Amino acid sequence: MSAAVPAPLFSVVSPVYQAALLLNELVTRIERELTTLSPDYEIILVDDGSQDESWAGIQHQAARNPRIKGLRLSRNFGQHHALTAGLDLAQGQWVVVMDCDLQDQPEEIGRLYRKALEGYDVVLASRQQRQDTWLKTTLSKAFYRLLSYLTDTRQDPQVANFGIYHQRVITRVGQLRESIRYFPTMVGWVGFRQTTLPVQHAAAGRPGTYSLRRRLRLATDVLLAHSDKPLRLTACLGLLLSAGAFMLGLLSLVRFWLGQITVPGYASLIISISFFSGLIILVLGIVGLYVGKTFEQVRNRPLYIVRDTTCEPLAYENPV
């Protein structure tokens, strides 16, 4: 086994999907920024099952610069699973997480690092004047508002993955191996001293790869994975409806005794049956979603499968 080498000061991890045309600019800008901070860095690019020439581009960059490491997953596992693969490989004392579409600007890394040196373990980039479509921004705000309510924690729609994290934070996040991955909520859960820093948000360098259907599915998974509040709200709704039905039953009985009801109401009967049948199906559906997610977790499948890599595992010394 080769001797241990000092761990780098910085690791930059970026999941890559259908971004072959952006790789050269992405890597060039990251290198330019990191070299102003320290020559001791690594860049980890994770190809999440791209169908274009992204992997060839990653191989080219890795051959040009030994500090660049590439992982190629066996299929498209999703952004947050690909991010997990990169974080599992990252050894830097400080880990920068950013998307590959250049909306997260590499030129902000230095500012994030200097803010972290003030005594923070996590500095999250707060995107000012988001350069997204109206629909995406609106859905994002609605999702984070709902997530805040269901998890009883404050969720900022201006904050996503982009930020700098101390290795101790990344180590703890790496110990969370649940199958539903959502990096921002996992970072919030592990704690440590966190803050935000306003950054400029650029327009995406390529069309969005997340369809509305995929966004809604991710939102549902995150809500179910990080909160049992829907179940508790459903139970409260059931109690309220039961209490209301009991009161209506008493009222109907009193009216019957008083002779005010002579002909049974067909319409009210059908409406009641339809309403409560739909409610039962809704409750069963919510419970079924939780059961399905539990089944998915107990199967204990790997979070990702690496098909190819441009680097051999290195024995690093533990960062201070």
Side-chain angles (χ1 to χ4, degrees):
M1 181 181 295
S2 60
V5 297
L9 178 61
F10 296 106
S11 295
V12 177
V13 179
S14 181
V16 175
Y17 184 69
Q18 304 290 83
L21 298 179
L22 297 178
L23 276 175
N24 286 338
E25 182 180 356
L26 173 69
V27 173
T28 299
R29 291 171 63 179
I30 293 175
E31 289 177 322
R32 184 188 305 129
E33 179 66 15
L34 291 179
T35 51
T36 64
L37 302 173
S38 170
D40 193 12
Y41 66 85
E42 64 179 2
I43 302 173
I44 301 174
L45 304 174
V46 184
D47 180 12
D48 188 24
S50 300
Q51 301 301 312
D52 61 1
E53 297 300 316
S54 293
W55 178 242
I58 293 174
Q59 288 179 306
H60 169 74
Q61 295 294 338
R64 181 186 60 81
N65 185 347
R67 297 186 181 92
I68 299 175
K69 302 172 184 178
L71 295 178
R72 184 186 191 187
L73 303 187
S74 60
R75 64 172 177 84
N76 179 246
F77 283 85
Q79 179 189 26
H80 295 276
H81 288 74
L83 181 56
T84 300
L87 295 177
D88 287 345
L89 183 63
Q91 296 292 329
Q93 181 179 352
W94 292 97
V95 179
V96 177
V97 173
M98 61 185 304
D99 293 340
C100 68
D101 59 4
L102 293 175
Q103 285 193 295
D104 300 334
Q105 301 193 67
E107 292 75 17
E108 301 284 0
I109 294 176
R111 295 181 61 236
L112 293 170
Y113 176 57
R114 287 187 287 272
K115 185 67 177 180
L117 293 181
E118 296 178 10
Y120 296 100
D121 297 298
V122 176
V123 180
L124 301 169
S126 178
R127 299 166 292 181
Q128 305 299 303
Q129 298 179 345
R130 291 182 58 177
Q131 304 298 313
D132 290 318
T133 63
W134 174 87
L135 178 61
K136 182 177 179 180
T137 303
T138 302
L139 290 176
S140 177
K141 290 181 179 179
F143 165 70
Y144 279 105
R145 188 169 300 163
L146 180 60
L147 184 62
S148 298
Y149 171 71
L150 292 179
T151 60
D152 295 320
T153 57
R154 182 180 180 275
Q155 304 289 337
D156 188 353
Q158 302 299 110
V159 172
N161 299 328
F162 189 29
I164 191 167
Y165 310 82
H166 196 277
Q167 180 59 235
R168 66 172 69 95
V169 177
I170 297 302
T171 299
R172 298 307 179 192
V173 170
Q175 293 173 347
L176 308 179
R177 307 307 285 185
E178 55 257 38
S179 58
I180 299 177
R181 316 292 296 175
Y182 191 64
F183 184 67
T185 54
M186 290 190 290
V187 170
W189 186 87
V190 299
F192 296 95
R193 193 178 183 199
Q194 303 186 12
T195 189
T196 59
L197 180 71
V199 300
Q200 295 299 317
H201 191 232
R206 59 173 170 78
T209 56
Y210 264 103
S211 63
L212 178 59
R213 180 179 178 182
R214 291 187 65 184
R215 291 181 186 278
L216 292 176
R217 181 175 179 179
L218 175 62
T220 302
D221 287 345
V222 172
L223 293 175
L224 294 177
H226 295 278
S227 175
D228 63 351
K229 205 167 186 177
L231 290 176
R232 291 185 276 118
L233 291 175
T234 301
C236 292
L237 177 62
L239 289 175
L240 289 175
L241 290 175
S242 297
F246 179 74
M247 297 301 295
L248 287 175
L250 287 179
L251 178 61
S252 298
L253 185 60
V254 171
R255 293 182 63 196
F256 175 78
W257 284 340
L258 295 176
Q260 297 178 1
I261 298 179
T262 57
V263 179
Y266 176 80
S268 60
L269 180 63
I270 295 300
I271 292 173
S272 299
I273 292 175
S274 301
F275 174 74
F276 286 106
S277 297
L279 181 63
I280 291 171
I281 294 174
L282 172 63
V283 172
L284 288 177
I286 293 175
V287 175
L289 286 173
Y290 276 97
V291 172
K293 297 306 176 184
T294 303
F295 171 69
E296 184 177 333
Q297 182 65 35
V298 299
R299 287 187 297 182
N300 200 28
R301 291 182 176 180
L303 299 178
Y304 56 85
I305 298 174
V306 177
R307 175 181 174 182
D308 295 306
T309 178
T310 64
C311 59
E312 295 295 333
L314 296 177
Y316 283 105
E317 296 175 354
N318 291 328
V320 178

